[in-house]
Amino acid sequence: MKSKYLLTLVAAGCAAARALALTIPSDGSDGDFNPTADIVVDLSLAPAGAWDASNTANAGKGIYDSSKWAVVFKHASVNIPSGVTVTFINHPTHAPVVWLVSGNVTIDGTVSVKGGDGPLGQVDQLTPAEPGPGGFRAGAAGPAGKGRGYGPGADANSDGPGRYGLAYGNPQIVPLIGGSGAGIYGGGLQWSGGAGGGAILIASAGSISIQGMINANGGDPHPGNTGGNLGGSGGAVRLIAEQVSGNGEIQAINPGDLFGFGRIRIETPVLAPTVRTAPETVAVIPAAIPILWPADDAPTVHVVSVDGVVAPVDPTAALVSSADVQIQQNGTVQVLLETKNFPPSGFVQLRTVQKYGPAAWVTAAHSEGDFAASTWIADVTFAPGFTTLQARATVP
């Protein structure tokens, strides 16, 4: 008599239950987070500083660390009661949210980093829909034309419906990064898409109980848009704890289509089967000292200058009334980029996104330098108005 086995595979590792003592770098200086009514956390109030510094002087506001691109809260405990919803106002840099908790986390209500919905009116479409923290804006539409979505997964085509390219990031969700925004679709009557879902990391030295919901979905598309344009792509949720229990739900999906799923990662030796996730995932064993940030020697790429004007180290891409860099000509100019810990034989590109126009990828040429540090030059012709730049470095 032959034995028969059924084997189910998912794109993640499996965790076996075992005793685990997690080291979570939280001094509790942001205090207990225990809202009793719906609350909007304003991330723009976070003072700039080192993420691991004591925040006693600004308890409850978190710390914005530009080197990590994150607003970090070091709570003693977190308790979101049933019926209570926690939402966020973006930091000017749209940085993601990190909760480092020295005690337990209970989410009976809702924690939402959902992307903004596509606006209903044509006047409202002049401004891109806001993403969740760590996500990317949707496209905007104006008299000069229709814009594309923003973010690593946004489409680069100059026309057509706003869609997404290949998935980006990695299963570890290091670095912590959210979803991309959809573009504008339509001719005379334009349909706007939703913004990308945000990204949140919740790391507890104890347990995480989810009876409610963590929502990192992309924003909904314009209600009249039934075909060409999608909602924003899902963001990212990463949980780290000694155990994760409850019968609640974690979502990081695109509400308008099967394209644009986000990422969910749960690092724990004990995950209750009643916790529902979309997209689906399973638990992985965390390191005793979890890796929170990219390594110091991780590859990086950034814009150094545009037409000789130095770009800020920590840009905001405001797209309204001000710009990170102002140039005074519409001709072809040089954009200087720098890579670190990246081979000169690699591939460096620059995505240019007009606020009310098409997007395109421009290939940069290696100028000088080596693996440790190199400079690259991209020749770009800018149209009048706002253009956003996004750098990408890849190795075949």
Side-chain angles (χ1 to χ4, degrees), residues 50-78:
W51 68 274
D52 54 354
S54 173
N55 202 35
T56 302
N58 298 285
K61 296 180 180 179
I63 295 176
Y64 172 64
D65 190 327
S66 61
S67 68
K68 307 301 185 187
W69 190 59
V71 178
V72 181
F73 296 82
K74 296 184 290 296
H75 289 301
S77 67
V78 171

mmCIF file with all atom_site columns, all heavy atoms in Angstrom, residues 50-78:
data_model
loop_
_atom_site.group_PDB
_atom_site.id
_atom_site.type_symbol
_atom_site.label_atom_id
_atom_site.label_alt_id
_atom_site.label_comp_id
_atom_site.label_asym_id
_atom_site.label_entity_id
_atom_site.label_seq_id
_atom_site.pdbx_PDB_ins_code
_atom_site.Cartn_x
_atom_site.Cartn_y
_atom_site.Cartn_z
_atom_site.occupancy
_atom_site.B_iso_or_equiv
_atom_site.pdbx_formal_charge
_atom_site.auth_seq_id
_atom_site.auth_comp_id
_atom_site.auth_asym_id
_atom_site.auth_atom_id
_atom_site.pdbx_PDB_model_num
ATOM 1   N N   . ALA A 1 50 ? 18.396 60.711 15.091 1.00 0.00 ? 50 ALA A N   1
ATOM 2   C CA  . ALA A 1 50 ? 18.762 59.311 14.948 1.00 0.00 ? 50 ALA A CA  1
ATOM 3   C C   . ALA A 1 50 ? 17.631 58.441 15.474 1.00 0.00 ? 50 ALA A C   1
ATOM 4   O O   . ALA A 1 50 ? 17.083 58.693 16.554 1.00 0.00 ? 50 ALA A O   1
ATOM 5   C CB  . ALA A 1 50 ? 20.053 59.018 15.712 1.00 0.00 ? 50 ALA A CB  1
ATOM 6   N N   . TRP A 1 51 ? 17.273 57.420 14.724 1.00 0.00 ? 51 TRP A N   1
ATOM 7   C CA  . TRP A 1 51 ? 16.108 56.599 15.051 1.00 0.00 ? 51 TRP A CA  1
ATOM 8   C C   . TRP A 1 51 ? 16.212 55.941 16.414 1.00 0.00 ? 51 TRP A C   1
ATOM 9   O O   . TRP A 1 51 ? 15.202 55.718 17.078 1.00 0.00 ? 51 TRP A O   1
ATOM 10  C CB  . TRP A 1 51 ? 15.913 55.520 13.986 1.00 0.00 ? 51 TRP A CB  1
ATOM 11  C CG  . TRP A 1 51 ? 16.990 54.467 13.984 1.00 0.00 ? 51 TRP A CG  1
ATOM 12  C CD1 . TRP A 1 51 ? 18.191 54.517 13.339 1.00 0.00 ? 51 TRP A CD1 1
ATOM 13  C CD2 . TRP A 1 51 ? 16.963 53.220 14.674 1.00 0.00 ? 51 TRP A CD2 1
ATOM 14  N NE1 . TRP A 1 51 ? 18.919 53.390 13.573 1.00 0.00 ? 51 TRP A NE1 1
ATOM 15  C CE2 . TRP A 1 51 ? 18.187 52.561 14.396 1.00 0.00 ? 51 TRP A CE2 1
ATOM 16  C CE3 . TRP A 1 51 ? 16.035 52.584 15.498 1.00 0.00 ? 51 TRP A CE3 1
ATOM 17  C CZ2 . TRP A 1 51 ? 18.511 51.307 14.909 1.00 0.00 ? 51 TRP A CZ2 1
ATOM 18  C CZ3 . TRP A 1 51 ? 16.350 51.333 16.014 1.00 0.00 ? 51 TRP A CZ3 1
ATOM 19  C CH2 . TRP A 1 51 ? 17.565 50.707 15.722 1.00 0.00 ? 51 TRP A CH2 1
ATOM 20  N N   . ASP A 1 52 ? 17.430 55.633 16.871 1.00 0.00 ? 52 ASP A N   1
ATOM 21  C CA  . ASP A 1 52 ? 17.610 54.914 18.130 1.00 0.00 ? 52 ASP A CA  1
ATOM 22  C C   . ASP A 1 52 ? 17.873 55.835 19.321 1.00 0.00 ? 52 ASP A C   1
ATOM 23  O O   . ASP A 1 52 ? 18.179 55.362 20.412 1.00 0.00 ? 52 ASP A O   1
ATOM 24  C CB  . ASP A 1 52 ? 18.738 53.887 18.006 1.00 0.00 ? 52 ASP A CB  1
ATOM 25  C CG  . ASP A 1 52 ? 20.047 54.502 17.498 1.00 0.00 ? 52 ASP A CG  1
ATOM 26  O OD1 . ASP A 1 52 ? 20.048 55.693 17.144 1.00 0.00 ? 52 ASP A OD1 1
ATOM 27  O OD2 . ASP A 1 52 ? 21.040 53.763 17.445 1.00 0.00 ? 52 ASP A OD2 1
ATOM 28  N N   . ALA A 1 53 ? 17.729 57.155 19.117 1.00 0.00 ? 53 ALA A N   1
ATOM 29  C CA  . ALA A 1 53 ? 17.911 58.101 20.228 1.00 0.00 ? 53 ALA A CA  1
ATOM 30  C C   . ALA A 1 53 ? 16.654 58.139 21.092 1.00 0.00 ? 53 ALA A C   1
ATOM 31  O O   . ALA A 1 53 ? 15.547 57.856 20.630 1.00 0.00 ? 53 ALA A O   1
ATOM 32  C CB  . ALA A 1 53 ? 18.224 59.493 19.689 1.00 0.00 ? 53 ALA A CB  1
ATOM 33  N N   . SER A 1 54 ? 16.809 58.512 22.351 1.00 0.00 ? 54 SER A N   1
ATOM 34  C CA  . SER A 1 54 ? 15.653 58.666 23.230 1.00 0.00 ? 54 SER A CA  1
ATOM 35  C C   . SER A 1 54 ? 14.759 59.787 22.718 1.00 0.00 ? 54 SER A C   1
ATOM 36  O O   . SER A 1 54 ? 15.239 60.846 22.289 1.00 0.00 ? 54 SER A O   1
ATOM 37  C CB  . SER A 1 54 ? 16.111 58.988 24.658 1.00 0.00 ? 54 SER A CB  1
ATOM 38  O OG  . SER A 1 54 ? 14.993 59.289 25.477 1.00 0.00 ? 54 SER A OG  1
ATOM 39  N N   . ASN A 1 55 ? 13.450 59.552 22.768 1.00 0.00 ? 55 ASN A N   1
ATOM 40  C CA  . ASN A 1 55 ? 12.510 60.555 22.294 1.00 0.00 ? 55 ASN A CA  1
ATOM 41  C C   . ASN A 1 55 ? 11.647 61.102 23.425 1.00 0.00 ? 55 ASN A C   1
ATOM 42  O O   . ASN A 1 55 ? 10.531 61.576 23.190 1.00 0.00 ? 55 ASN A O   1
ATOM 43  C CB  . ASN A 1 55 ? 11.613 59.957 21.199 1.00 0.00 ? 55 ASN A CB  1
ATOM 44  C CG  . ASN A 1 55 ? 10.999 61.020 20.305 1.00 0.00 ? 55 ASN A CG  1
ATOM 45  O OD1 . ASN A 1 55 ? 11.622 62.041 20.028 1.00 0.00 ? 55 ASN A OD1 1
ATOM 46  N ND2 . ASN A 1 55 ? 9.790  60.784 19.839 1.00 0.00 ? 55 ASN A ND2 1
ATOM 47  N N   . THR A 1 56 ? 12.156 61.050 24.633 1.00 0.00 ? 56 THR A N   1
ATOM 48  C CA  . THR A 1 56 ? 11.384 61.491 25.794 1.00 0.00 ? 56 THR A CA  1
ATOM 49  C C   . THR A 1 56 ? 10.898 62.927 25.647 1.00 0.00 ? 56 THR A C   1
ATOM 50  O O   . THR A 1 56 ? 9.760  63.259 26.016 1.00 0.00 ? 56 THR A O   1
ATOM 51  C CB  . THR A 1 56 ? 12.230 61.355 27.074 1.00 0.00 ? 56 THR A CB  1
ATOM 52  O OG1 . THR A 1 56 ? 12.648 59.991 27.211 1.00 0.00 ? 56 THR A OG1 1
ATOM 53  C CG2 . THR A 1 56 ? 11.437 61.762 28.292 1.00 0.00 ? 56 THR A CG2 1
ATOM 54  N N   . ALA A 1 57 ? 11.735 63.801 25.080 1.00 0.00 ? 57 ALA A N   1
ATOM 55  C CA  . ALA A 1 57 ? 11.369 65.213 24.948 1.00 0.00 ? 57 ALA A CA  1
ATOM 56  C C   . ALA A 1 57 ? 10.238 65.430 23.950 1.00 0.00 ? 57 ALA A C   1
ATOM 57  O O   . ALA A 1 57 ? 9.558  66.464 23.998 1.00 0.00 ? 57 ALA A O   1
ATOM 58  C CB  . ALA A 1 57 ? 12.594 66.032 24.532 1.00 0.00 ? 57 ALA A CB  1
ATOM 59  N N   . ASN A 1 58 ? 10.033 64.477 23.045 1.00 0.00 ? 58 ASN A N   1
ATOM 60  C CA  . ASN A 1 58 ? 8.974  64.592 22.035 1.00 0.00 ? 58 ASN A CA  1
ATOM 61  C C   . ASN A 1 58 ? 8.127  63.322 22.010 1.00 0.00 ? 58 ASN A C   1
ATOM 62  O O   . ASN A 1 58 ? 7.738  62.841 20.944 1.00 0.00 ? 58 ASN A O   1
ATOM 63  C CB  . ASN A 1 58 ? 9.585  64.829 20.656 1.00 0.00 ? 58 ASN A CB  1
ATOM 64  C CG  . ASN A 1 58 ? 10.364 66.122 20.566 1.00 0.00 ? 58 ASN A CG  1
ATOM 65  O OD1 . ASN A 1 58 ? 9.783  67.195 20.493 1.00 0.00 ? 58 ASN A OD1 1
ATOM 66  N ND2 . ASN A 1 58 ? 11.688 66.023 20.588 1.00 0.00 ? 58 ASN A ND2 1
ATOM 67  N N   . ALA A 1 59 ? 7.838  62.811 23.185 1.00 0.00 ? 59 ALA A N   1
ATOM 68  C CA  . ALA A 1 59 ? 7.148  61.521 23.292 1.00 0.00 ? 59 ALA A CA  1
ATOM 69  C C   . ALA A 1 59 ? 5.851  61.512 22.494 1.00 0.00 ? 59 ALA A C   1
ATOM 70  O O   . ALA A 1 59 ? 5.055  62.457 22.559 1.00 0.00 ? 59 ALA A O   1
ATOM 71  C CB  . ALA A 1 59 ? 6.870  61.193 24.755 1.00 0.00 ? 59 ALA A CB  1
ATOM 72  N N   . GLY A 1 60 ? 5.649  60.450 21.727 1.00 0.00 ? 60 GLY A N   1
ATOM 73  C CA  . GLY A 1 60 ? 4.440  60.291 20.936 1.00 0.00 ? 60 GLY A CA  1
ATOM 74  C C   . GLY A 1 60 ? 4.528  60.831 19.532 1.00 0.00 ? 60 GLY A C   1
ATOM 75  O O   . GLY A 1 60 ? 3.640  60.569 18.714 1.00 0.00 ? 60 GLY A O   1
ATOM 76  N N   . LYS A 1 61 ? 5.600  61.568 19.212 1.00 0.00 ? 61 LYS A N   1
ATOM 77  C CA  . LYS A 1 61 ? 5.746  62.155 17.886 1.00 0.00 ? 61 LYS A CA  1
ATOM 78  C C   . LYS A 1 61 ? 6.665  61.344 16.988 1.00 0.00 ? 61 LYS A C   1
ATOM 79  O O   . LYS A 1 61 ? 6.714  61.584 15.777 1.00 0.00 ? 61 LYS A O   1
ATOM 80  C CB  . LYS A 1 61 ? 6.259  63.598 17.980 1.00 0.00 ? 61 LYS A CB  1
ATOM 81  C CG  . LYS A 1 61 ? 5.300  64.542 18.682 1.00 0.00 ? 61 LYS A CG  1
ATOM 82  C CD  . LYS A 1 61 ? 5.866  65.949 18.731 1.00 0.00 ? 61 LYS A CD  1
ATOM 83  C CE  . LYS A 1 61 ? 4.898  66.905 19.434 1.00 0.00 ? 61 LYS A CE  1
ATOM 84  N NZ  . LYS A 1 61 ? 5.454  68.287 19.507 1.00 0.00 ? 61 LYS A NZ  1
ATOM 85  N N   . GLY A 1 62 ? 7.417  60.413 17.561 1.00 0.00 ? 62 GLY A N   1
ATOM 86  C CA  . GLY A 1 62 ? 8.362  59.647 16.776 1.00 0.00 ? 62 GLY A CA  1
ATOM 87  C C   . GLY A 1 62 ? 9.579  60.471 16.409 1.00 0.00 ? 62 GLY A C   1
ATOM 88  O O   . GLY A 1 62 ? 9.709  61.650 16.771 1.00 0.00 ? 62 GLY A O   1
ATOM 89  N N   . ILE A 1 63 ? 10.506 59.859 15.681 1.00 0.00 ? 63 ILE A N   1
ATOM 90  C CA  . ILE A 1 63 ? 11.721 60.509 15.188 1.00 0.00 ? 63 ILE A CA  1
ATOM 91  C C   . ILE A 1 63 ? 11.848 60.225 13.705 1.00 0.00 ? 63 ILE A C   1
ATOM 92  O O   . ILE A 1 63 ? 11.706 59.070 13.275 1.00 0.00 ? 63 ILE A O   1
ATOM 93  C CB  . ILE A 1 63 ? 12.978 60.003 15.924 1.00 0.00 ? 63 ILE A CB  1
ATOM 94  C CG1 . ILE A 1 63 ? 12.945 60.390 17.400 1.00 0.00 ? 63 ILE A CG1 1
ATOM 95  C CG2 . ILE A 1 63 ? 14.245 60.539 15.270 1.00 0.00 ? 63 ILE A CG2 1
ATOM 96  C CD1 . ILE A 1 63 ? 14.102 59.831 18.206 1.00 0.00 ? 63 ILE A CD1 1
ATOM 97  N N   . TYR A 1 64 ? 12.100 61.252 12.911 1.00 0.00 ? 64 TYR A N   1
ATOM 98  C CA  . TYR A 1 64 ? 12.358 61.045 11.498 1.00 0.00 ? 64 TYR A CA  1
ATOM 99  C C   . TYR A 1 64 ? 13.857 60.934 11.272 1.00 0.00 ? 64 TYR A C   1
ATOM 100 O O   . TYR A 1 64 ? 14.605 61.875 11.519 1.00 0.00 ? 64 TYR A O   1
ATOM 101 C CB  . TYR A 1 64 ? 11.796 62.177 10.634 1.00 0.00 ? 64 TYR A CB  1
ATOM 102 C CG  . TYR A 1 64 ? 12.248 62.053 9.187  1.00 0.00 ? 64 TYR A CG  1
ATOM 103 C CD1 . TYR A 1 64 ? 11.847 60.954 8.429  1.00 0.00 ? 64 TYR A CD1 1
ATOM 104 C CD2 . TYR A 1 64 ? 13.089 62.990 8.603  1.00 0.00 ? 64 TYR A CD2 1
ATOM 105 C CE1 . TYR A 1 64 ? 12.271 60.805 7.114  1.00 0.00 ? 64 TYR A CE1 1
ATOM 106 C CE2 . TYR A 1 64 ? 13.520 62.853 7.289  1.00 0.00 ? 64 TYR A CE2 1
ATOM 107 C CZ  . TYR A 1 64 ? 13.112 61.758 6.549  1.00 0.00 ? 64 TYR A CZ  1
ATOM 108 O OH  . TYR A 1 64 ? 13.548 61.596 5.260  1.00 0.00 ? 64 TYR A OH  1
ATOM 109 N N   . ASP A 1 65 ? 14.298 59.765 10.813 1.00 0.00 ? 65 ASP A N   1
ATOM 110 C CA  . ASP A 1 65 ? 15.702 59.538 10.504 1.00 0.00 ? 65 ASP A CA  1
ATOM 111 C C   . ASP A 1 65 ? 15.851 59.519 8.986  1.00 0.00 ? 65 ASP A C   1
ATOM 112 O O   . ASP A 1 65 ? 15.416 58.569 8.331  1.00 0.00 ? 65 ASP A O   1
ATOM 113 C CB  . ASP A 1 65 ? 16.172 58.214 11.115 1.00 0.00 ? 65 ASP A CB  1
ATOM 114 C CG  . ASP A 1 65 ? 17.684 58.025 11.031 1.00 0.00 ? 65 ASP A CG  1
ATOM 115 O OD1 . ASP A 1 65 ? 18.286 58.499 10.047 1.00 0.00 ? 65 ASP A OD1 1
ATOM 116 O OD2 . ASP A 1 65 ? 18.261 57.401 11.949 1.00 0.00 ? 65 ASP A OD2 1
ATOM 117 N N   . SER A 1 66 ? 16.466 60.558 8.426  1.00 0.00 ? 66 SER A N   1
ATOM 118 C CA  . SER A 1 66 ? 16.574 60.657 6.971  1.00 0.00 ? 66 SER A CA  1
ATOM 119 C C   . SER A 1 66 ? 17.488 59.585 6.399  1.00 0.00 ? 66 SER A C   1
ATOM 120 O O   . SER A 1 66 ? 17.302 59.158 5.257  1.00 0.00 ? 66 SER A O   1
ATOM 121 C CB  . SER A 1 66 ? 17.076 62.053 6.574  1.00 0.00 ? 66 SER A CB  1
ATOM 122 O OG  . SER A 1 66 ? 18.366 62.303 7.129  1.00 0.00 ? 66 SER A OG  1
ATOM 123 N N   . SER A 1 67 ? 18.476 59.121 7.168  1.00 0.00 ? 67 SER A N   1
ATOM 124 C CA  . SER A 1 67 ? 19.380 58.096 6.662  1.00 0.00 ? 67 SER A CA  1
ATOM 125 C C   . SER A 1 67 ? 18.675 56.746 6.523  1.00 0.00 ? 67 SER A C   1
ATOM 126 O O   . SER A 1 67 ? 19.085 55.892 5.731  1.00 0.00 ? 67 SER A O   1
ATOM 127 C CB  . SER A 1 67 ? 20.599 57.954 7.575  1.00 0.00 ? 67 SER A CB  1
ATOM 128 O OG  . SER A 1 67 ? 20.239 57.423 8.837  1.00 0.00 ? 67 SER A OG  1
ATOM 129 N N   . LYS A 1 68 ? 17.606 56.534 7.289  1.00 0.00 ? 68 LYS A N   1
ATOM 130 C CA  . LYS A 1 68 ? 16.814 55.307 7.188  1.00 0.00 ? 68 LYS A CA  1
ATOM 131 C C   . LYS A 1 68 ? 15.526 55.524 6.389  1.00 0.00 ? 68 LYS A C   1
ATOM 132 O O   . LYS A 1 68 ? 14.853 54.556 6.047  1.00 0.00 ? 68 LYS A O   1
ATOM 133 C CB  . LYS A 1 68 ? 16.445 54.792 8.582  1.00 0.00 ? 68 LYS A CB  1
ATOM 134 C CG  . LYS A 1 68 ? 17.626 54.620 9.523  1.00 0.00 ? 68 LYS A CG  1
ATOM 135 C CD  . LYS A 1 68 ? 18.657 53.655 8.978  1.00 0.00 ? 68 LYS A CD  1
ATOM 136 C CE  . LYS A 1 68 ? 19.766 53.416 9.975  1.00 0.00 ? 68 LYS A CE  1
ATOM 137 N NZ  . LYS A 1 68 ? 20.869 52.603 9.409  1.00 0.00 ? 68 LYS A NZ  1
ATOM 138 N N   . TRP A 1 69 ? 15.201 56.766 6.120  1.00 0.00 ? 69 TRP A N   1
ATOM 139 C CA  . TRP A 1 69 ? 13.941 57.144 5.467  1.00 0.00 ? 69 TRP A CA  1
ATOM 140 C C   . TRP A 1 69 ? 12.774 56.463 6.178  1.00 0.00 ? 69 TRP A C   1
ATOM 141 O O   . TRP A 1 69 ? 12.063 55.636 5.634  1.00 0.00 ? 69 TRP A O   1
ATOM 142 C CB  . TRP A 1 69 ? 13.932 56.812 3.976  1.00 0.00 ? 69 TRP A CB  1
ATOM 143 C CG  . TRP A 1 69 ? 12.761 57.408 3.248  1.00 0.00 ? 69 TRP A CG  1
ATOM 144 C CD1 . TRP A 1 69 ? 12.437 58.732 3.155  1.00 0.00 ? 69 TRP A CD1 1
ATOM 145 C CD2 . TRP A 1 69 ? 11.741 56.704 2.519  1.00 0.00 ? 69 TRP A CD2 1
ATOM 146 N NE1 . TRP A 1 69 ? 11.283 58.903 2.424  1.00 0.00 ? 69 TRP A NE1 1
ATOM 147 C CE2 . TRP A 1 69 ? 10.843 57.671 2.005  1.00 0.00 ? 69 TRP A CE2 1
ATOM 148 C CE3 . TRP A 1 69 ? 11.506 55.369 2.240  1.00 0.00 ? 69 TRP A CE3 1
ATOM 149 C CZ2 . TRP A 1 69 ? 9.730  57.328 1.247  1.00 0.00 ? 69 TRP A CZ2 1
ATOM 150 C CZ3 . TRP A 1 69 ? 10.392 55.029 1.475  1.00 0.00 ? 69 TRP A CZ3 1
ATOM 151 C CH2 . TRP A 1 69 ? 9.519  56.003 0.981  1.00 0.00 ? 69 TRP A CH2 1
ATOM 152 N N   . ALA A 1 70 ? 12.580 56.848 7.438  1.00 0.00 ? 70 ALA A N   1
ATOM 153 C CA  . ALA A 1 70 ? 11.504 56.256 8.237  1.00 0.00 ? 70 ALA A CA  1
ATOM 154 C C   . ALA A 1 70 ? 11.187 57.166 9.403  1.00 0.00 ? 70 ALA A C   1
ATOM 155 O O   . ALA A 1 70 ? 12.061 57.854 9.944  1.00 0.00 ? 70 ALA A O   1
ATOM 156 C CB  . ALA A 1 70 ? 11.906 54.874 8.751  1.00 0.00 ? 70 ALA A CB  1
ATOM 157 N N   . VAL A 1 71 ? 9.898  57.180 9.799  1.00 0.00 ? 71 VAL A N   1
ATOM 158 C CA  . VAL A 1 71 ? 9.475  57.816 11.045 1.00 0.00 ? 71 VAL A CA  1
ATOM 159 C C   . VAL A 1 71 ? 9.326  56.690 12.062 1.00 0.00 ? 71 VAL A C   1
ATOM 160 O O   . VAL A 1 71 ? 8.488  55.805 11.908 1.00 0.00 ? 71 VAL A O   1
ATOM 161 C CB  . VAL A 1 71 ? 8.159  58.591 10.882 1.00 0.00 ? 71 VAL A CB  1
ATOM 162 C CG1 . VAL A 1 71 ? 7.743  59.198 12.220 1.00 0.00 ? 71 VAL A CG1 1
ATOM 163 C CG2 . VAL A 1 71 ? 8.305  59.682 9.823  1.00 0.00 ? 71 VAL A CG2 1
ATOM 164 N N   . VAL A 1 72 ? 10.169 56.723 13.101 1.00 0.00 ? 72 VAL A N   1
ATOM 165 C CA  . VAL A 1 72 ? 10.291 55.610 14.043 1.00 0.00 ? 72 VAL A CA  1
ATOM 166 C C   . VAL A 1 72 ? 9.696  55.991 15.390 1.00 0.00 ? 72 VAL A C   1
ATOM 167 O O   . VAL A 1 72 ? 10.080 57.016 15.979 1.00 0.00 ? 72 VAL A O   1
ATOM 168 C CB  . VAL A 1 72 ? 11.767 55.200 14.209 1.00 0.00 ? 72 VAL A CB  1
ATOM 169 C CG1 . VAL A 1 72 ? 11.886 54.018 15.177 1.00 0.00 ? 72 VAL A CG1 1
ATOM 170 C CG2 . VAL A 1 72 ? 12.370 54.844 12.851 1.00 0.00 ? 72 VAL A CG2 1
ATOM 171 N N   . PHE A 1 73 ? 8.771  55.173 15.865 1.00 0.00 ? 73 PHE A N   1
ATOM 172 C CA  . PHE A 1 73 ? 8.182  55.325 17.194 1.00 0.00 ? 73 PHE A CA  1
ATOM 173 C C   . PHE A 1 73 ? 8.706  54.191 18.075 1.00 0.00 ? 73 PHE A C   1
ATOM 174 O O   . PHE A 1 73 ? 8.674  53.023 17.672 1.00 0.00 ? 73 PHE A O   1
ATOM 175 C CB  . PHE A 1 73 ? 6.661  55.264 17.134 1.00 0.00 ? 73 PHE A CB  1
ATOM 176 C CG  . PHE A 1 73 ? 6.020  56.374 16.356 1.00 0.00 ? 73 PHE A CG  1
ATOM 177 C CD1 . PHE A 1 73 ? 5.925  56.311 14.964 1.00 0.00 ? 73 PHE A CD1 1
ATOM 178 C CD2 . PHE A 1 73 ? 5.499  57.492 17.000 1.00 0.00 ? 73 PHE A CD2 1
ATOM 179 C CE1 . PHE A 1 73 ? 5.334  57.324 14.240 1.00 0.00 ? 73 PHE A CE1 1
ATOM 180 C CE2 . PHE A 1 73 ? 4.893  58.518 16.285 1.00 0.00 ? 73 PHE A CE2 1
ATOM 181 C CZ  . PHE A 1 73 ? 4.821  58.439 14.902 1.00 0.00 ? 73 PHE A CZ  1
ATOM 182 N N   . LYS A 1 74 ? 9.149  54.537 19.271 1.00 0.00 ? 74 LYS A N   1
ATOM 183 C CA  . LYS A 1 74 ? 9.612  53.521 20.222 1.00 0.00 ? 74 LYS A CA  1
ATOM 184 C C   . LYS A 1 74 ? 8.623  53.499 21.388 1.00 0.00 ? 74 LYS A C   1
ATOM 185 O O   . LYS A 1 74 ? 8.782  54.215 22.372 1.00 0.00 ? 74 LYS A O   1
ATOM 186 C CB  . LYS A 1 74 ? 11.040 53.823 20.675 1.00 0.00 ? 74 LYS A CB  1
ATOM 187 C CG  . LYS A 1 74 ? 12.052 53.751 19.516 1.00 0.00 ? 74 LYS A CG  1
ATOM 188 C CD  . LYS A 1 74 ? 13.464 53.961 19.959 1.00 0.00 ? 74 LYS A CD  1
ATOM 189 C CE  . LYS A 1 74 ? 13.721 55.389 20.383 1.00 0.00 ? 74 LYS A CE  1
ATOM 190 N NZ  . LYS A 1 74 ? 13.558 56.343 19.277 1.00 0.00 ? 74 LYS A NZ  1
ATOM 191 N N   . HIS A 1 75 ? 7.572  52.687 21.233 1.00 0.00 ? 75 HIS A N   1
ATOM 192 C CA  . HIS A 1 75 ? 6.495  52.618 22.220 1.00 0.00 ? 75 HIS A CA  1
ATOM 193 C C   . HIS A 1 75 ? 6.802  51.566 23.289 1.00 0.00 ? 75 HIS A C   1
ATOM 194 O O   . HIS A 1 75 ? 7.506  50.579 23.034 1.00 0.00 ? 75 HIS A O   1
ATOM 195 C CB  . HIS A 1 75 ? 5.169  52.289 21.540 1.00 0.00 ? 75 HIS A CB  1
ATOM 196 C CG  . HIS A 1 75 ? 4.614  53.398 20.706 1.00 0.00 ? 75 HIS A CG  1
ATOM 197 N ND1 . HIS A 1 75 ? 4.305  54.642 21.229 1.00 0.00 ? 75 HIS A ND1 1
ATOM 198 C CD2 . HIS A 1 75 ? 4.294  53.452 19.383 1.00 0.00 ? 75 HIS A CD2 1
ATOM 199 C CE1 . HIS A 1 75 ? 3.822  55.408 20.267 1.00 0.00 ? 75 HIS A CE1 1
ATOM 200 N NE2 . HIS A 1 75 ? 3.801  54.723 19.144 1.00 0.00 ? 75 HIS A NE2 1
ATOM 201 N N   . ALA A 1 76 ? 6.200  51.771 24.470 1.00 0.00 ? 76 ALA A N   1
ATOM 202 C CA  . ALA A 1 76 ? 6.262  50.752 25.524 1.00 0.00 ? 76 ALA A CA  1
ATOM 203 C C   . ALA A 1 76 ? 5.225  49.663 25.260 1.00 0.00 ? 76 ALA A C   1
ATOM 204 O O   . ALA A 1 76 ? 5.465  48.480 25.521 1.00 0.00 ? 76 ALA A O   1
ATOM 205 C CB  . ALA A 1 76 ? 6.040  51.387 26.894 1.00 0.00 ? 76 ALA A CB  1
ATOM 206 N N   . SER A 1 77 ? 4.069  50.044 24.736 1.00 0.00 ? 77 SER A N   1
ATOM 207 C CA  . SER A 1 77 ? 3.023  49.093 24.359 1.00 0.00 ? 77 SER A CA  1
ATOM 208 C C   . SER A 1 77 ? 2.100  49.784 23.373 1.00 0.00 ? 77 SER A C   1
ATOM 209 O O   . SER A 1 77 ? 2.077  51.018 23.269 1.00 0.00 ? 77 SER A O   1
ATOM 210 C CB  . SER A 1 77 ? 2.232  48.612 25.579 1.00 0.00 ? 77 SER A CB  1
ATOM 211 O OG  . SER A 1 77 ? 1.481  49.683 26.142 1.00 0.00 ? 77 SER A OG  1
ATOM 212 N N   . VAL A 1 78 ? 1.325  48.975 22.650 1.00 0.00 ? 78 VAL A N   1
ATOM 213 C CA  . VAL A 1 78 ? 0.344  49.499 21.701 1.00 0.00 ? 78 VAL A CA  1
ATOM 214 C C   . VAL A 1 78 ? -0.964 48.759 21.928 1.00 0.00 ? 78 VAL A C   1
ATOM 215 O O   . VAL A 1 78 ? -0.991 47.522 21.981 1.00 0.00 ? 78 VAL A O   1
ATOM 216 C CB  . VAL A 1 78 ? 0.805  49.309 20.242 1.00 0.00 ? 78 VAL A CB  1
ATOM 217 C CG1 . VAL A 1 78 ? -0.319 49.660 19.269 1.00 0.00 ? 78 VAL A CG1 1
ATOM 218 C CG2 . VAL A 1 78 ? 2.034  50.174 19.952 1.00 0.00 ? 78 VAL A CG2 1
#
